[in-house]
Amino acid sequence: MAGKTFFSVGPSQLFPTVGQHLQTALAENIGSISHRGKQFESIYKETVENLRVLLEIPDGHRIFFFSSANEIWERLLQNCVEHHCFHLVNGSFSAKFHEFAVTLRKNAYKHEVEPGKGFSLNEISVPEEAEAIAAIVNETSSGVQMPLSDVKELAQRYPQKLFFADVVTSLPAVSPDYNFIDCAYFSVQKGFGMPSGLGVAILSPRCVERAKELNSKGQVTGTYHNFSQLEKFAAQNQTPETPNVLFIYLLGKVAGDMLKYGIENIRIETAQKAKMIYQAIEKSSELDFFVKEPAHRSITTIVAEVKGGSTSLIERLKSKGLILASGYGAFKEKQIRIANFPSQSSEMTEQLLKELPS
Ligand SMILES: *Cc1c(COP(=O)(O)O)cnc(C)c1O
């Protein structure tokens, strides 16, 4: 295979059909059509339907488009939290959501553990007044996952609170039970193998109701991207603003291709590739697991510590066309992070493993 293979954790390797869909989009003038016309409405509808089938999203849940997961953090706080929220924090992404809440003047509680650690449910106690719980299913900065059984158990423990789940680097490889999640959200440059620039939120009916209730109480829930505006336009297969039409189109096509390939196959392969990568880390005398607890080791973003530092290894692999991510923040020069998304085929992963230090 010519050129580079990206094992970076987002943006990452593009899904193999993205190029051909981009060409079709140009040929069909997708970049010039009106976002108030029938053609756009049918694109929008196809994308939402494909996501609903691919991810097994319940009928009552809404699917809305944003610019990024960062935007969704802000919108959730504006639309669904009046005063108090509670955040699980174990790395840079979950910490940032908590910081957004503080910046927006919410009373933001947190339960924090060190990067590389997961959460023990029996240590988590959510304050009575918290209106929402923000959980992170896969902390991309440290390669820690929260088992889906823990996600569900925590949500079920506090049924009266809204439950937000960051599944940015989890989907489509995992299948959370959306019946217990009021907002599951992702951006497309991770597991969906697209260029960056589109965020997707999957909202429960009560999450949208909560936004309307706060709005009617006088809370500022935002302008064009508040949940009632989004719902109103979604009912006509449209968006309040002129959206990223090209990416809504591409996402629908990629989700359709994943459906044809078989989501079960994708999930089986993800598990197999993760096992191969972790075995390579275990065997290597130069590499070590960052996440010590096996149940908390991510299957989609795998982090290894490199003896003597990761910089030269990353450079050496780069010269062979294999692009890895460095560690995040303070771990930049100590770790490597390896994406295990649907776009990294088994062959690509085998290629990488041949080059990792033994
Ligand atoms: C990448 C990432 C985000 C942020 O996504 P943007 O598209 O940059 O807003 C949030 N959470 C997790 C877990 C991520 O990996």
Side-chain angles (χ1 to χ4, degrees), residues 138-240:
N138 194 69
E139 176 50 81
T140 316
S141 65
S142 58
V144 175
Q145 70 178 11
M146 188 167 173
L148 291 180
S149 52
D150 284 2
V151 172
K152 186 166 169 178
E153 196 182 323
L154 184 63
Q156 278 179 314
R157 200 195 281 172
Y158 299 100
Q160 71 287 17
K161 302 187 191 304
L162 293 179
F163 195 88
F164 307 149
D166 181 327
V167 285
V168 177
T169 39
S170 310
L171 297 184
V174 305
S175 175
D177 189 342
Y178 296 96
N179 292 306
F180 296 93
I181 299 176
D182 296 290
C183 177
Y185 56 91
F186 64 94
S187 41
V188 297
Q189 75 276 20
K190 317 274 174 104
F192 283 84
M194 282 177 48
S196 57
L198 188 67
V200 179
I202 300 157
L203 303 179
S204 71
R206 73 170 184 171
C207 194
V208 180
E209 285 316 307
R210 174 75 176 152
K212 290 182 193 163
E213 185 193 312
L214 291 184
N215 197 340
S216 66
K217 274 171 120 178
Q219 174 156 320
V220 176
T221 54
T223 54
Y224 69 110
H225 269 181
N226 71 46
F227 295 170
S228 357
Q229 282 295 311
L230 283 156
E231 185 182 50
K232 195 175 108 194
F233 281 88
Q236 307 162 63
N237 295 308
Q238 291 188 12
T239 57

Side-chain angles (χ1 to χ4, degrees), residues 9 18 28 77 124 223 225 291 328 354:
V9 291
V18 165
E28 290 182 358
L77 293 164
I124 298 173
T223 54
H225 269 181
V291 181
Y328 198 94
K354 275 191 214 142

Side-chain angles (χ1 to χ4, degrees), residues 7-12 93 116 136-146 167-171 173-174 189-191 270 273-274 277-278 281 290-291 296-304 325-326 328 335-342 344:
F7 290 90
S8 42
V9 291
S12 192
F93 289 102
I136 177 145
V137 180
N138 194 69
E139 176 50 81
T140 316
S141 65
S142 58
V144 175
Q145 70 178 11
M146 188 167 173
V167 285
V168 177
T169 39
S170 310
L171 297 184
V174 305
Q189 75 276 20
K190 317 274 174 104
T270 302
K273 290 182 294 164
I277 299 169
Y278 278 119
I281 296 171
F290 179 47
V291 181
H296 292 157
R297 282 180 198 148
S298 170
I299 57 163
T300 53
T301 57
I302 294 167
V303 179
S326 63
Y328 198 94
Q335 301 177 348
I336 50 172
R337 290 179 300 152
I338 304 171
N340 180 29
F341 298 141
Q344 284 91 19

Side-chain angles (χ1 to χ4, degrees), residues 99-121:
E99 279 163 31
F100 277 24
V102 172
T103 305
L104 291 177
R105 312 257 158 89
K106 306 300 176 188
N107 178 23
Y109 295 95
K110 67 176 164 179
H111 171 80
E112 188 164 15
V113 299
E114 291 168 44
K117 296 251 163 70
F119 305 105
S120 311
L121 289 195

